[in-house]
Amino acid sequence: MTRDELISRTRQLIDEGDRLEAQPSMGALQLWLQLSDDLLATAWGSMDRYHLAWLMVGKPKGIVRGRPMTPDEEAAYVREVVGQKTAALRMSLDAVERQGMPFVGETGGVGPGRGTGEVVAEAPATGDAPGSRRSIPLDPEMQRRLDEARHAASEHTTHDAGAGPAATRRAPRPERLQR
């Protein structure tokens, strides 16, 4: 599967999920879940029960047991499951499209700058070192503190320069451990 195919198919499934939320149907939900599971497994690999439980996909809060669901309960169930799975599809789309992450089922069609884990779109300036993978700018106060720490660290890069190899930095040894 190429990156463009994954993006296109994920967008189609997200659109179908939006339609399912507007017009819930249990039969359509089952087909949609199977198609989205197949796509995500092809792109990212299969998920075990632990991951599915962590995502809470298909685990509605107020599940009805021991009797058929009323039409209103069925519609609420479909909407809840669709909302959860659509969120997972949106995360997948973001990872492939915006972040350019490589994926398991990738078979070529990777454009320039894609598949490297770097954010493809022009990221806002973060003040990080060149080559940083950060795509979310820091809080201005956090950025100021980070800059101060980097400046303070840069002042100490040469304080042991003339001491030779014996002066390599090590943690201090307690007296009782020294021989």
PDB file of all heavy atoms in Angstrom, residues 1 3 7 19 28 33 40-41 61 71 75 84 100 120 123-124 134 140 143 153 155 161:
ATOM      1  N   MET A   1       0.845  -1.170   0.000  1.00  0.00           N
ATOM      2  CA  MET A   1       0.000   0.000   0.000  1.00  0.00           C
ATOM      3  C   MET A   1       0.895   1.239   0.000  1.00  0.00           C
ATOM      4  O   MET A   1       1.843   1.309   0.779  1.00  0.00           O
ATOM      5  CB  MET A   1      -0.897  -0.022   1.242  1.00  0.00           C
ATOM      6  CG  MET A   1      -1.612   1.267   1.487  1.00  0.00           C
ATOM      7  SD  MET A   1      -2.627   1.300   2.975  1.00  0.00           S
ATOM      8  CE  MET A   1      -3.647  -0.101   2.728  1.00  0.00           C
ATOM      9  N   ARG A   3       1.582   5.393   0.481  1.00  0.00           N
ATOM     10  CA  ARG A   3       1.163   6.433   1.424  1.00  0.00           C
ATOM     11  C   ARG A   3      -0.098   7.138   0.916  1.00  0.00           C
ATOM     12  O   ARG A   3      -1.042   7.368   1.678  1.00  0.00           O
ATOM     13  CB  ARG A   3       2.312   7.432   1.605  1.00  0.00           C
ATOM     14  CG  ARG A   3       2.036   8.515   2.617  1.00  0.00           C
ATOM     15  CD  ARG A   3       3.318   9.294   2.892  1.00  0.00           C
ATOM     16  NE  ARG A   3       4.336   8.418   3.435  1.00  0.00           N
ATOM     17  CZ  ARG A   3       4.451   8.112   4.727  1.00  0.00           C
ATOM     18  NH1 ARG A   3       3.637   8.637   5.596  1.00  0.00           N
ATOM     19  NH2 ARG A   3       5.397   7.301   5.146  1.00  0.00           N
ATOM     20  N   ILE A   7      -3.719   7.329   2.820  1.00  0.00           N
ATOM     21  CA  ILE A   7      -4.358   8.611   3.132  1.00  0.00           C
ATOM     22  C   ILE A   7      -5.758   8.664   2.529  1.00  0.00           C
ATOM     23  O   ILE A   7      -6.725   9.035   3.197  1.00  0.00           O
ATOM     24  CB  ILE A   7      -3.478   9.786   2.647  1.00  0.00           C
ATOM     25  CG1 ILE A   7      -2.216   9.884   3.510  1.00  0.00           C
ATOM     26  CG2 ILE A   7      -4.252  11.090   2.653  1.00  0.00           C
ATOM     27  CD1 ILE A   7      -1.164  10.833   2.986  1.00  0.00           C
ATOM     28  N   ARG A  19     -20.852   9.962   8.326  1.00  0.00           N
ATOM     29  CA  ARG A  19     -22.203   9.628   7.840  1.00  0.00           C
ATOM     30  C   ARG A  19     -22.912   8.670   8.803  1.00  0.00           C
ATOM     31  O   ARG A  19     -24.106   8.803   9.058  1.00  0.00           O
ATOM     32  CB  ARG A  19     -22.136   9.019   6.445  1.00  0.00           C
ATOM     33  CG  ARG A  19     -21.914  10.041   5.335  1.00  0.00           C
ATOM     34  CD  ARG A  19     -22.090   9.444   3.946  1.00  0.00           C
ATOM     35  NE  ARG A  19     -20.979   8.603   3.534  1.00  0.00           N
ATOM     36  CZ  ARG A  19     -19.816   9.057   3.061  1.00  0.00           C
ATOM     37  NH1 ARG A  19     -19.629  10.360   2.925  1.00  0.00           N
ATOM     38  NH2 ARG A  19     -18.859   8.230   2.708  1.00  0.00           N
ATOM     39  N   ALA A  28     -24.363  -1.327   8.914  1.00  0.00           N
ATOM     40  CA  ALA A  28     -23.332  -0.475   8.323  1.00  0.00           C
ATOM     41  C   ALA A  28     -22.142  -0.331   9.270  1.00  0.00           C
ATOM     42  O   ALA A  28     -20.992  -0.296   8.836  1.00  0.00           O
ATOM     43  CB  ALA A  28     -23.915   0.890   7.973  1.00  0.00           C
ATOM     44  N   LEU A  33     -16.584  -1.160  10.585  1.00  0.00           N
ATOM     45  CA  LEU A  33     -15.558  -1.582  11.537  1.00  0.00           C
ATOM     46  C   LEU A  33     -14.602  -2.592  10.903  1.00  0.00           C
ATOM     47  O   LEU A  33     -13.392  -2.521  11.108  1.00  0.00           O
ATOM     48  CB  LEU A  33     -16.196  -2.195  12.788  1.00  0.00           C
ATOM     49  CG  LEU A  33     -16.771  -1.215  13.802  1.00  0.00           C
ATOM     50  CD1 LEU A  33     -17.487  -1.964  14.911  1.00  0.00           C
ATOM     51  CD2 LEU A  33     -15.699  -0.309  14.370  1.00  0.00           C
ATOM     52  N   LEU A  40      -6.302  -0.438   9.125  1.00  0.00           N
ATOM     53  CA  LEU A  40      -5.347  -0.134  10.192  1.00  0.00           C
ATOM     54  C   LEU A  40      -4.359  -1.288  10.400  1.00  0.00           C
ATOM     55  O   LEU A  40      -3.171  -1.055  10.649  1.00  0.00           O
ATOM     56  CB  LEU A  40      -6.080   0.195  11.493  1.00  0.00           C
ATOM     57  CG  LEU A  40      -6.856   1.516  11.483  1.00  0.00           C
ATOM     58  CD1 LEU A  40      -7.683   1.665  12.752  1.00  0.00           C
ATOM     59  CD2 LEU A  40      -5.926   2.704  11.310  1.00  0.00           C
ATOM     60  N   ALA A  41      -4.826  -2.525  10.276  1.00  0.00           N
ATOM     61  CA  ALA A  41      -3.924  -3.669  10.425  1.00  0.00           C
ATOM     62  C   ALA A  41      -2.911  -3.716   9.282  1.00  0.00           C
ATOM     63  O   ALA A  41      -1.737  -4.034   9.494  1.00  0.00           O
ATOM     64  CB  ALA A  41      -4.724  -4.968  10.484  1.00  0.00           C
ATOM     65  N   LYS A  61     -19.933   2.679  27.104  1.00  0.00           N
ATOM     66  CA  LYS A  61     -20.090   2.830  28.546  1.00  0.00           C
ATOM     67  C   LYS A  61     -21.345   2.133  29.056  1.00  0.00           C
ATOM     68  O   LYS A  61     -21.332   1.475  30.071  1.00  0.00           O
ATOM     69  CB  LYS A  61     -20.140   4.321  28.886  1.00  0.00           C
ATOM     70  CG  LYS A  61     -18.847   5.035  28.602  1.00  0.00           C
ATOM     71  CD  LYS A  61     -18.993   6.525  28.880  1.00  0.00           C
ATOM     72  CE  LYS A  61     -17.762   7.249  28.436  1.00  0.00           C
ATOM     73  NZ  LYS A  61     -17.884   7.863  27.149  1.00  0.00           N
ATOM     74  N   PRO A  71     -34.280   0.920  19.397  1.00  0.00           N
ATOM     75  CA  PRO A  71     -33.678   1.717  18.313  1.00  0.00           C
ATOM     76  C   PRO A  71     -32.838   2.891  18.833  1.00  0.00           C
ATOM     77  O   PRO A  71     -31.779   3.189  18.277  1.00  0.00           O
ATOM     78  CB  PRO A  71     -34.887   2.190  17.511  1.00  0.00           C
ATOM     79  CG  PRO A  71     -35.927   1.136  17.747  1.00  0.00           C
ATOM     80  CD  PRO A  71     -35.707   0.688  19.178  1.00  0.00           C
ATOM     81  N   ALA A  75     -28.838   3.267  18.215  1.00  0.00           N
ATOM     82  CA  ALA A  75     -28.270   4.469  17.593  1.00  0.00           C
ATOM     83  C   ALA A  75     -27.186   5.073  18.487  1.00  0.00           C
ATOM     84  O   ALA A  75     -26.123   5.477  18.001  1.00  0.00           O
ATOM     85  CB  ALA A  75     -29.370   5.491  17.315  1.00  0.00           C
ATOM     86  N   GLN A  84     -15.351   6.673  18.653  1.00  0.00           N
ATOM     87  CA  GLN A  84     -14.069   6.152  19.129  1.00  0.00           C
ATOM     88  C   GLN A  84     -13.190   5.710  17.964  1.00  0.00           C
ATOM     89  O   GLN A  84     -11.998   6.020  17.916  1.00  0.00           O
ATOM     90  CB  GLN A  84     -14.310   4.975  20.072  1.00  0.00           C
ATOM     91  CG  GLN A  84     -14.987   5.354  21.359  1.00  0.00           C
ATOM     92  CD  GLN A  84     -15.492   4.140  22.124  1.00  0.00           C
ATOM     93  OE1 GLN A  84     -15.388   3.010  21.672  1.00  0.00           O
ATOM     94  NE2 GLN A  84     -16.047   4.375  23.294  1.00  0.00           N
ATOM     95  N   GLY A 100       4.352  12.329   8.583  1.00  0.00           N
ATOM     96  CA  GLY A 100       5.157  11.563   7.634  1.00  0.00           C
ATOM     97  C   GLY A 100       5.756  10.301   8.218  1.00  0.00           C
ATOM     98  O   GLY A 100       6.816   9.864   7.781  1.00  0.00           O
ATOM     99  N   VAL A 120       6.011  16.933   7.961  1.00  0.00           N
ATOM    100  CA  VAL A 120       6.118  17.322   6.563  1.00  0.00           C
ATOM    101  C   VAL A 120       5.814  18.800   6.378  1.00  0.00           C
ATOM    102  O   VAL A 120       6.515  19.513   5.700  1.00  0.00           O
ATOM    103  CB  VAL A 120       5.175  16.456   5.693  1.00  0.00           C
ATOM    104  CG1 VAL A 120       5.206  16.931   4.258  1.00  0.00           C
ATOM    105  CG2 VAL A 120       5.584  15.009   5.789  1.00  0.00           C
ATOM    106  N   ALA A 123       6.837  23.477  10.166  1.00  0.00           N
ATOM    107  CA  ALA A 123       6.511  23.585  11.585  1.00  0.00           C
ATOM    108  C   ALA A 123       6.851  24.981  12.086  1.00  0.00           C
ATOM    109  O   ALA A 123       7.788  25.614  11.610  1.00  0.00           O
ATOM    110  CB  ALA A 123       7.299  22.543  12.373  1.00  0.00           C
ATOM    111  N   PRO A 124       6.105  25.465  13.076  1.00  0.00           N
ATOM    112  CA  PRO A 124       6.439  26.757  13.662  1.00  0.00           C
ATOM    113  C   PRO A 124       7.790  26.691  14.355  1.00  0.00           C
ATOM    114  O   PRO A 124       8.203  25.623  14.811  1.00  0.00           O
ATOM    115  CB  PRO A 124       5.320  27.000  14.675  1.00  0.00           C
ATOM    116  CG  PRO A 124       4.544  25.752  14.783  1.00  0.00           C
ATOM    117  CD  PRO A 124       4.945  24.852  13.664  1.00  0.00           C
ATOM    118  N   ARG A 134      10.560  18.126  17.099  1.00  0.00           N
ATOM    119  CA  ARG A 134       9.405  18.713  17.759  1.00  0.00           C
ATOM    120  C   ARG A 134       8.576  19.508  16.760  1.00  0.00           C
ATOM    121  O   ARG A 134       9.093  20.289  15.979  1.00  0.00           O
ATOM    122  CB  ARG A 134       9.850  19.641  18.870  1.00  0.00           C
ATOM    123  CG  ARG A 134       8.658  20.216  19.606  1.00  0.00           C
ATOM    124  CD  ARG A 134       9.114  21.147  20.641  1.00  0.00           C
ATOM    125  NE  ARG A 134      10.316  20.587  21.182  1.00  0.00           N
ATOM    126  CZ  ARG A 134      10.659  20.644  22.452  1.00  0.00           C
ATOM    127  NH1 ARG A 134       9.912  21.239  23.271  1.00  0.00           N
ATOM    128  NH2 ARG A 134      11.780  20.122  22.870  1.00  0.00           N
ATOM    129  N   PRO A 140       5.840  29.882  25.946  1.00  0.00           N
ATOM    130  CA  PRO A 140       6.913  30.889  25.955  1.00  0.00           C
ATOM    131  C   PRO A 140       7.761  30.856  27.230  1.00  0.00           C
ATOM    132  O   PRO A 140       8.975  31.005  27.171  1.00  0.00           O
ATOM    133  CB  PRO A 140       6.174  32.224  25.828  1.00  0.00           C
ATOM    134  CG  PRO A 140       4.884  31.871  25.171  1.00  0.00           C
ATOM    135  CD  PRO A 140       4.541  30.481  25.623  1.00  0.00           C
ATOM    136  N   GLN A 143      10.014  27.846  26.988  1.00  0.00           N
ATOM    137  CA  GLN A 143      11.057  28.097  26.002  1.00  0.00           C
ATOM    138  C   GLN A 143      12.153  28.990  26.592  1.00  0.00           C
ATOM    139  O   GLN A 143      13.331  28.742  26.392  1.00  0.00           O
ATOM    140  CB  GLN A 143      10.463  28.748  24.752  1.00  0.00           C
ATOM    141  CG  GLN A 143      11.470  28.960  23.638  1.00  0.00           C
ATOM    142  CD  GLN A 143      11.988  27.650  23.081  1.00  0.00           C
ATOM    143  OE1 GLN A 143      11.213  26.810  22.678  1.00  0.00           O
ATOM    144  NE2 GLN A 143      13.293  27.469  23.063  1.00  0.00           N
ATOM    145  N   ALA A 153      24.555  25.626  30.232  1.00  0.00           N
ATOM    146  CA  ALA A 153      25.307  24.409  29.914  1.00  0.00           C
ATOM    147  C   ALA A 153      26.436  24.711  28.939  1.00  0.00           C
ATOM    148  O   ALA A 153      27.528  24.136  29.047  1.00  0.00           O
ATOM    149  CB  ALA A 153      24.372  23.354  29.336  1.00  0.00           C
ATOM    150  N   GLU A 155      28.218  27.308  28.774  1.00  0.00           N
ATOM    151  CA  GLU A 155      29.319  27.976  29.475  1.00  0.00           C
ATOM    152  C   GLU A 155      30.252  26.979  30.154  1.00  0.00           C
ATOM    153  O   GLU A 155      31.374  27.311  30.485  1.00  0.00           O
ATOM    154  CB  GLU A 155      28.772  28.952  30.520  1.00  0.00           C
ATOM    155  CG  GLU A 155      28.068  30.140  29.908  1.00  0.00           C
ATOM    156  CD  GLU A 155      27.457  31.054  30.964  1.00  0.00           C
ATOM    157  OE1 GLU A 155      27.495  30.704  32.172  1.00  0.00           O
ATOM    158  OE2 GLU A 155      26.957  32.101  30.583  1.00  0.00           O
ATOM    159  N   ALA A 161      38.769  21.286  30.106  1.00  0.00           N
ATOM    160  CA  ALA A 161      39.485  21.042  28.856  1.00  0.00           C
ATOM    161  C   ALA A 161      40.971  20.753  29.064  1.00  0.00           C
ATOM    162  O   ALA A 161      41.535  19.899  28.402  1.00  0.00           O
ATOM    163  CB  ALA A 161      39.316  22.225  27.911  1.00  0.00           C
TER     164      ALA A 161
END
